[in-house]
Amino acid sequence: MSAPRRRPISTRGRGGALRAQPPPTPPMREVYNIIPVHDLLADHPSLRYPEVRAVGAALLSPALNLPKPPFITLEPHMDLMDWLGYSFGFQSDNVRNQREHLVLHLANSQMRLQPPPTKPHELDPNVLRRFRKKLLQNYTSWCSFLGVKSHLHLSARRSNSNDVTRELLYVSLYLLIWGEAANLRFCPELLSYIYHHMAMELNKVLEEHLDEFTGRPFVPSISGNCAFLKCIVMPFYRTINTEVESSRNGTAPHSAWRNYDDINEYFWSKRCFKSLKWPIDYESNFFDTVEKSKRVGKTGFVEQRSFWNVFRSFDRLWILLILFLQASIIVAWAGTKYPWEALEERDVQVELLTVFITWAGLRFLQSVLDAGTQYSLVSKETLWLGIRMVLKSVVALTWIVVFGVFYGRIWSQKNADRRWSFEANQRIVTFLEAVFVFVIPELLSLLFFVIPWVRNWIEGLDWVVISWLMWWFHTWIFVGRGLREGLVDNIRYTLFWVVVLVWKFAFSYFLQIKPLVAPTKALLSLSNLSYNWHQFFGSSNRIAVVLLWLPVVLIYFIDLQIWYSVFSSFVGATVGLFSHLGEIRNMEQLRLRFQFFASAMQFNLMPEDQLLSPKATLVKKLRDAIHRVKLRYGLGQPYKKIESSQVEATRFALIWNEIIISLREEDLISDREVELMELPPNCWEIRVIRWPCFLLCNELLLALSKAKELADAPDLWLWLKICKNEYGRCAVIEAYDSVKYLLLWVVKYGTEEYSIVLKLFQEIDFYMQNGKLTSAYKMDVLQQIHGKLESLVDLLVEQKNDQSQAVNLLQALYELCIREFPKMKRSMAQLREEGLAPRNPATDEGLLFENAIKFPDAEDADFHKQLRRLQTILTSKDSMHNVPLNLEARRRIAFFSNSLFMNMPRASNVEKMMAFSVLTPYYDEEVLFKKGMLQDENEDGISTLFYLQKIYEDEWSNFMERMHREGMDDDDDIWKTKLRDLRLWASYRGQTLSRTVRGMMYYYRALKMLSFLDSASEMDIRTGSQEIASHHSLNQNRGLVDGIRPPTPKKLSRAISGVRLLFKGHEYGCALMKFTYVVTCQLYGRQKAKGESHAEEILYLMKNNEALRVAYVDEVQLERDEVEYYSVLVKYDQQRQEEVEIYRIRLPGPLKLGEGKPENQNHAIIFTRGDAIQTIDMNQDNYFEEALKMRNLLEEFKTNYGIRKPTILGVRENVFTGSVSSLAWFMSAQETSFVTLGQRVLANPLKVRMHYGHPDVFDRFWFLTRGGISKASRVINISEDIFAGFNCTLRGGNVTHHEYMQVGKGRDVGLNQISMFEAKVASGNGEQVLSRDVYRLGHRLDLFRMLSFYYTTVGHYFNTMMVVLTVYTFLWGRLYLALSGVEKEAKNKSISNEALGTILNQQFIIQLGLFTALPMIVENCLEHGFLTSIWDFLKMQLQLASFFYTFSMGTRTHFFGRTILHGGAKYRATGRGFVVEHKSFAENYRLYARSHFVKAIELGVILAVYASYSPLAKDTFVYIAMTISSWFLVVSWIMSPFVFNPSGFDWLKTVYDFDDFMNWIWCRGGVFAEADKSWEIWWYEEQDHLRTTGLWGKLLEIILDLRFFFFQYGIVYQLGIADKSTRITVYLLSWIYVVVAVGIYVIIAYAQDKYAAKKHIYYRVVQLVVTILTVLVIALLLNLTKFKFLDLVTSLLAFIPTGWGLISIALVLRPFLQSTVVWETVVSLARLYDMLFGVIVIAPVALLSWLPGFQSMQTRILFNEAFSRGLQISRIISGKKSTA
């Protein structure tokens, strides 16, 4: 065993709040993680469970009977794990780690057994068997797939005790391999290969085989210290590393190197056995020991960059769309009113047969694309693949020929017969027979679609016959088999898509295709067109027709996205309604349901009494469902009033109060609100449940007014009126009981006055019991009595102890009750007789109560608390709708209470729940905000703290109230005495690690509480609630120093409060066994070594959270520059009061071979525990009340959803950054609709939810044997998370979505951050298009699931890009028609009007983009109500949300398109700070020049030229109608970065920004200059993608750049100098202008370089000569030709785009040009262009800055009111700072 180990660490600054510590345990010899597995006799709370000891014993006992490893003496305490470690050379810490892992898991599984095992002290064989099957399921199916025999040698008989040892060894061996495999964990089948051979060696050792070479007992081929790592892991690791190095940091084409998937997929064929052998042959051509040309190449799939991938992966969708388009054009061309009329004509029927020729053509295209992209997979070993590629192309080509010939024969027969004769019809039949053969595969797939289980069964069989039958259709691979869903799910998503498709096709036919037919015919019939330019093709009306159709066709291809959006919104809303979402939206609705809340909480959060039958029977399910309905609508028995005596109510109060306390700790509510909202325990002899004050407010006054109204009515009637409202009944009884108790307490016991008061209450009680209260007393006097009581309670609350005032009030009350209140007057004698007056007549009535009053002790906080409650009940007149004041607190309480009425599984006991871990990858982000960060002011004089105080004003005041309660005297002391608290308060409102850790540790807190409640007896719970109440009173005295009262009396200190006071000790052990939190702080070791503050802050978090573990990578320097890398796990040991190292496992090399985040997750996943793992990002948060539902959520893993149990449980997110600014609000609204409604529909009914949201919970053992919880290949897996979903679906997993639980999530809040995030996601989607996962899902899912998958992943981005392209094609098309003169001709022939109508329809579709906002509105309606959602939507529009959404569409388009064409996707760190600073113009220009500004300017120029030359544009209305959405696009792309930039329209800032921009443009930049300092560096960086792109990318880029030359071609012929000539020479001569312009520029630039500095006069001479010559030429042209002066301006529109086109092409050709003279000219011209673009962009900004009022309007739009006001005030105070 390894010795105890610790690391010396600093112990500075570790203050913290007082915490409830677990019971102390005696010192231990060895550091452990969760349970001391090495010492099962230790006194540790978790070891009280017999299951833990049982597993420990099962590992220990058989170890002595195993063959001894050579050269090793086994100690008696060594177990099976140690034996395996020595036998196979595993690291000792890996053995220790996996031992705890195995013991914890098996113990937890055995605890869950139902009914419990008869021998709890022995390991149950069934538990082990089930675990072995699950853990090794992937291995056994791999063996079956490859047709090799599994090496798990287990007997068929179940009772074999030898099998338990074997199973333990098999399971342990796999865990040890996995625990040390490092980066190889991403290759699950490679692990299966290693395991296969090591299990074989294990069997040989166990069966005591002899070694065939030596004749001695068999010894494993690898053993010794670290042997497994060095001999097995490192060779594979080095190979992967070599491949990654050859990827040139991800810039090389994917096809040039092997990624993790290629390495893994090599083990999907039997060749791995021949090639690698065992012991492993390191000379195999698989490893990097072989030179690259001879090494194994890509395996399984080649990722090629091309837009054709969208067609290749989703060919069925494109075939469907193209064939329908062709068919509908053929039908529409017939010109009938309805399509079915056209279909009756035989000609149309025959023409429709051409669809099959097209289909065959598309199949041929698909086969050519397959061969063209995948040819590099073909090698000697994979020859059949090549044969199939060739055959597929040949067959497809044959079909084209066959169909073509048969089709031709039909028409030749018909033309010969001049009619549709019998022979012609026979030929049609022949054609149809061929078609039948052609579609046989489709018919088969249709059949299997209808009976999905047959297909799943066939694909699940690993028979060679089946693989040969499937060979033709697709490669037989290990994943992607048996993906069909059950019949019910099948019907549901089929119905959805049938409706969507029918709607889309009807819309397309009637509103897109049919209206275009007439104008097309008319355009084609136009003859003798006079073109304005030289026409290259004779009759080129066809170009005009193509341009007319192109935008329509593009929209036809993309509008399915819009219809999907519309229909999914309504389906999502319906599913949400049936899930009972949004039924409790606000506090008002919560009040109505609160009385059923206790029962709902008891039903859902408390475990039911476990029956002996483990399965949920149908009857039980039905009973639960009926119970839920009763709960939801308050029906029947569950709502018998739960009075305060009942345990259920007390248990509810404990949970509810803990939630309220957690809200107070987070400063969301104030101390006063805590008192109004908590459920106080029973005291003062009150007979009813004491509802929170905010529910009882106003109820007493209403009851009094009812009493006055019904003064003469019988008791029963009045009581029924009051009891109509449960809260009214409780308020009346509580008020009466409290007043009775209070008066009997205030009046001294034993005095005569005491007996009078007692007698009075007895009399009233007597009348009440007999139902004669109203007949005996005057009800209208009650209000006077109420007034006096109110005054008395006020007096006591204020603690004035004014004796005379108290006596007066009591006497007045006495008078009212004795004289006024009874209906029957009584004489003094009668009163004395009845004991209601002083016995001694000599006692003056004026002295009554004088000596009989005692005042409450000022220290009795509990008594004062009850008094304040009574005061609230007596006095509150308002209905307290605004309690709590904080909107976030309201939202959370409303969501939590609503969720308890939704359907969720019943909770199990904490002991019997599934164990789980949370894993958070952390790199170098903020842990806690530092003092400087909070204080530093930006250029407007605004500090982060000021900003937070304004945004979270109420939370700040609650925080200050808490600090004062904890002993702070003055507000200014916050920086001295409470700095840590202040930093925490601010950090909990940012996106920091401390916020995430606090949120996740709520799981631990919740489990401890639930564990206590599970095991607590009725007595514990009753006495406990009293104990908590009295604790508050005790706590009060802590604030006293020398008897001096702290400034705020009676405010309750909550250092340790709530249920935590009642814990008995076992709760800690139970919670630790069920929950672990691992934060993987990759650089923590480095940060500790450097003494960085991050390390100290992480240590602070560990110190304050005992269930927190930190994993990091440690780099140990050896001699000769060697470095060893270790995965290290540390915790803070509460006993030793220091950080201790638990495990240190050596890695084969540096961690990061692939993408950073998945590699970081992967190295730490070995330290997680439990059945489930929740992935949480560093920008997330959690809430205590949600953590209570975690055990319900985990129960979902046991439920079938469709035909499978879930493997990922999706959970909804709540985006908490929405309140920061309007941008953050838009982003969070968009995100919220995606993570709620979007995910809901994907999971049900569409069944294609992947893994998007980070709170998703994974089935841990399912994933760890299948490649982990994310994929990590460099660049291709840049969106690493979603690939976990792809992998899950392909491997037969099931992803569900559950909305009764939410986790907080932060999003980016500034435009630049948001754009970088959008860019990252869009680039990630661009890479997904190329990936094998998307290709396989596109082919292996059935048609309808494939459609769902496409339109919610890559299709969404592709279609966004197509929308922008449609705008382009539409505008370029209009420009062509205007400049060529076709439009003018058409207008004269009045064709254009019809075409225009259709085009306007298309515009309407572009504006349908609005429909993509529909999910947002619908989800808002569902959760917040219709009016709220409409109001929110209108408010968004007023805050220019449409600008933002249009702008982000541009971002997505640019990065998605560029990634597919050229690559260059990279991880962009978006930064998670608060955005209150102004971004400079230069920075915005750098970010958006290429993605938005240049494109917007191009569209703007087209629109301007079109306005000048189009005859249609003369009609203003038509021009506006046609181009308004395009103009909107242009304006939003240019203006958004400034509209959403703080102080974006400040005149001074605009001036400074422009200066800064010009300095940046002209800065040359040196060797070390950065892009933000020099234009030139930035310009080179912007074209990086062109350096890494392939030949096709470059070609396409050049073809796209040719469009810029069209302006020149079109406009030159319109110039005066052209004299209406249409000869080609006009265009060629115009190039002279370009050459001359560039020549002049070169001459001036040359003269400037040569003479400007020293011989300035020469420079001036050159300038003069050039100017004179230019003027002379212009003068000559004006005189000698028809040149007009206006031509100069017009020609700028023609030639400036030409220059830009030339520069763009030069950039593509940079490798050839860079070494020539031309390049410098290109660079300097490009600089001029960027300057020109900058001026164009800044002009409107400058104009708006100059106009008054825009700046304040923009601030109001951008920031919420609170901050706007704060900003204005701070400017006034600080005298508005403006720094240059």
Side-chain angles (χ1 to χ4, degrees), residues 105 280 462 615 959 1098 1349 1460 1480-1481 1520:
H105 179 71
I280 285 174
D462 295 307
K615 294 275 178 239
F959 168 66
I1098 289 168
F1349 170 65
I1460 291 186
S1480 71
F1481 176 76
I1520 290 173

Side-chain angles (χ1 to χ4, degrees), residues 1611-1764:
I1611 293 175
V1612 213
Y1613 287 99
Q1614 313 283 344
L1615 297 177
I1617 193 169
D1619 194 15
K1620 297 196 176 166
S1621 163
T1622 58
R1623 284 175 307 175
I1624 189 67
T1625 43
V1626 173
Y1627 175 62
L1628 297 175
L1629 285 170
S1630 69
W1631 277 91
I1632 295 171
Y1633 179 99
V1634 179
V1635 174
V1636 168
V1638 173
I1640 290 173
Y1641 177 71
V1642 169
I1643 290 165
I1644 298 277
Y1646 175 75
Q1648 188 180 6
D1649 280 356
K1650 200 163 171 66
Y1651 303 128
K1654 294 182 181 171
K1655 302 179 179 173
H1656 199 68
I1657 189 75
Y1658 288 1
Y1659 178 47
R1660 290 287 182 222
V1661 169
V1662 171
Q1663 282 182 320
L1664 181 67
V1665 171
V1666 168
T1667 312
I1668 290 171
L1669 280 173
T1670 309
V1671 172
L1672 198 64
V1673 169
I1674 290 172
L1676 284 170
L1677 287 174
L1678 281 168
N1679 284 327
L1680 301 178
T1681 67
K1682 294 198 176 179
F1683 182 74
K1684 300 182 205 135
F1685 208 77
L1686 194 65
D1687 285 358
L1688 276 178
V1689 183
T1690 314
S1691 57
L1692 284 178
L1693 286 175
F1695 296 114
I1696 287 177
T1698 302
W1700 183 246
L1702 288 170
I1703 290 171
S1704 304
I1705 290 172
L1707 289 179
V1708 182
L1709 303 175
R1710 176 179 162 192
F1712 310 107
L1713 298 178
Q1714 197 162 4
S1715 51
T1716 63
V1717 178
V1718 182
W1719 189 246
E1720 276 195 25
T1721 312
V1722 170
V1723 176
S1724 51
L1725 273 173
R1727 179 181 277 112
L1728 277 186
Y1729 269 95
D1730 271 318
M1731 209 186 309
L1732 172 71
F1733 294 150
V1735 171
I1736 291 173
V1737 171
I1738 208 169
V1741 178
L1743 176 68
L1744 293 176
S1745 306
W1746 178 73
L1747 292 172
F1750 263 91
Q1751 176 51 43
S1752 54
M1753 190 169 85
Q1754 185 233 10
T1755 308
R1756 187 50 58 92
I1757 282 175
L1758 186 54
F1759 291 110
N1760 61 24
E1761 309 284 307
F1763 183 60
S1764 281

